[in-house]
Amino acid sequence: MNNARLAQAGHCPSEYGRIGPHAFSEHLRGQRFISSGHVKEHVQHVGKAGVSNVPGLHDLHRMTAQLLAEAAPDVADILVVGAGGGMEIAAMGGTRPNWRFVGVDPSAEMLTLACQTTKLINERVELIEGIVDDVPVKTFDGATCLFVLHHVESSEQLRILRSIRRRLRPGSRFVFSEHAAIGVNPEVWLARSVSFSQGGGIESSEAAARAAMMHHRLSLHTPNETEAMLRDAGFCDPDIFYAAFSLRGWVATA
C-alpha cells in the first residue's frame, strides 16, 4: 500500500500515540504531548477551531450524513478523504450505527486526533496514513472530502477526485466542500470568512491581508469550474447544498 501505515478498526497504533500540540492543519511545530490528557485537550481545541472557522459545521455534518444515506444501504462502508481530526466520522457514526468508516489522511499527528475523537465508535473505524491512492480499491457506499482539496495543487485535484470515484459504488453519493472563488473579487468573500472565524473581532485591514494570503496559497475554483471538474472525474449531477461566505459544499453521484 505504498508504505501507508494502517490503524485497524478499534486500534490506534502506538506510533500515533504522541503528537505535536500544534498539529492542526499544516502548521506542525515538532513539539510532543506527554499524556493522553494533552491529546484530549488538543482534540477539544481542534473541535472548537473547526466550529469557529466553518459556519454551521455541526449541521454540515448532519447534512452530509443525510445526503450519503439517500443512496447508501443501512449497513454501509463510507470513505472519508482527509480524515485527520475525525470530526465528521464521529458525527456521522454517532447517528448511523451500522456505518463503517475508512479514513485516510497524510498526517499521523492528525490521525492520532481522529483516534481520540472517534474512540466511542472505533470498532467501526479504520484509519490509513497516506493519500486516497493508498486506500484499497473496493466498493464504498459513499465518500466525503471536506475542506481538503483547496490545499492541493490544481493539477492534482482532478486526479484525486478520479481516484475517489474509482472506489465508489455506481449510484452512491459523494459530498465535497472547499473554499471557492466567489464573485468578481474572491478576496472579499475570503475576508468575510476570516472575520467570521475570529468572531468579528478583527480589523477589516487584517482580515483583508489574511484573505489575500489565502487567495495566494489556496487552489481556488469558481463553482462552475468545480462542477466541471467533478463531471470530468466521473461524477454526475453535482449540486451545491451548502454555502457560507467563501465556503461551498457539493453533492454528486458516482
Side-chain angles (χ1 to χ4, degrees):
M1 289 174 55
N2 300 332
N3 298 318
R5 287 188 293 179
L6 176 66
Q8 296 292 341
H11 174 63
C12 292
S14 59
E15 63 263 34
Y16 293 166
R18 298 178 65 210
I19 67 178
H22 302 290
F24 182 64
S25 189
E26 70 273 18
H27 304 293
L28 305 180
R29 303 294 186 181
Q31 302 177 29
R32 299 290 173 183
F33 283 117
I34 59 174
S35 72
S36 61
H38 287 102
V39 175
K40 181 178 180 181
E41 180 181 337
H42 190 56
V43 169
Q44 293 171 342
H45 168 74
V46 168
K48 291 177 181 177
V51 170
S52 65
N53 290 338
V54 179
L57 181 62
H58 293 315
D59 286 332
L60 173 62
H61 289 158
R62 288 177 56 208
M63 289 187 286
T64 295
Q66 177 179 324
L67 291 167
L68 294 177
E70 289 177 352
D74 182 57
V75 178
D77 293 300
I78 304 298
L79 174 62
V80 178
V81 179
M87 292 180 66
E88 61 264 46
I89 293 177
M92 292 189 291
T95 60
R96 309 287 171 171
N98 295 321
W99 284 10
R100 298 178 294 259
F101 301 90
V102 173
V104 61
D105 196 284
S107 169
E109 288 83 0
M110 291 304 292
L111 289 178
T112 299
L113 296 184
C115 282
Q116 296 293 320
T117 305
T118 62
K119 62 183 178 182
L120 295 179
I121 60 166
N122 63 8
E123 73 281 356
R124 295 188 280 129
V125 178
E126 184 178 301
L127 299 173
I128 297 171
E129 181 190 346
I131 61 176
V132 67
D133 293 338
D134 296 314
V135 177
V137 177
K138 58 177 287 185
T139 303
F140 286 95
D141 299 301
T144 69
C145 184
L146 303 182
F147 308 119
V148 173
L149 283 195
H150 54 227
H151 294 293
V152 178
E153 292 291 338
S154 293
S155 59
E156 282 290 292
Q157 291 180 2
L158 180 58
R159 185 192 63 78
I160 292 170
L161 290 172
R162 284 174 172 164
S163 188
I164 294 170
R165 173 62 186 85
R166 284 197 299 273
R167 289 161 172 79
L168 284 173
R169 174 179 54 80
S172 61
R173 300 283 191 265
F174 173 52
V175 177
F176 169 69
S177 61
E178 65 177 358
H179 279 290
I182 304 300
V184 176
N185 183 1
E187 290 183 16
V188 171
W189 287 100
L190 290 168
R192 288 167 175 157
S193 291
V194 170
S195 182
F196 179 89
S197 73
Q198 301 300 310
I202 184 174
E203 294 291 336
S204 59
S205 58
E206 175 64 17
R210 295 189 190 185
M213 184 178 298
M214 291 171 66
H215 196 196
H216 175 70
R217 291 183 175 180
L218 300 180
S219 299
L220 302 181
H221 304 284
T222 68
N224 286 341
E225 289 170 342
T226 295
E227 291 178 15
M229 184 166 60
L230 286 167
R231 287 191 173 92
D232 285 347
F235 295 98
C236 61
D237 302 326
D239 284 316
I240 291 177
F241 75 95
Y242 170 83
F245 297 125
S246 59
L247 299 172
R248 293 292 183 272
W250 284 264
V251 59
T253 301

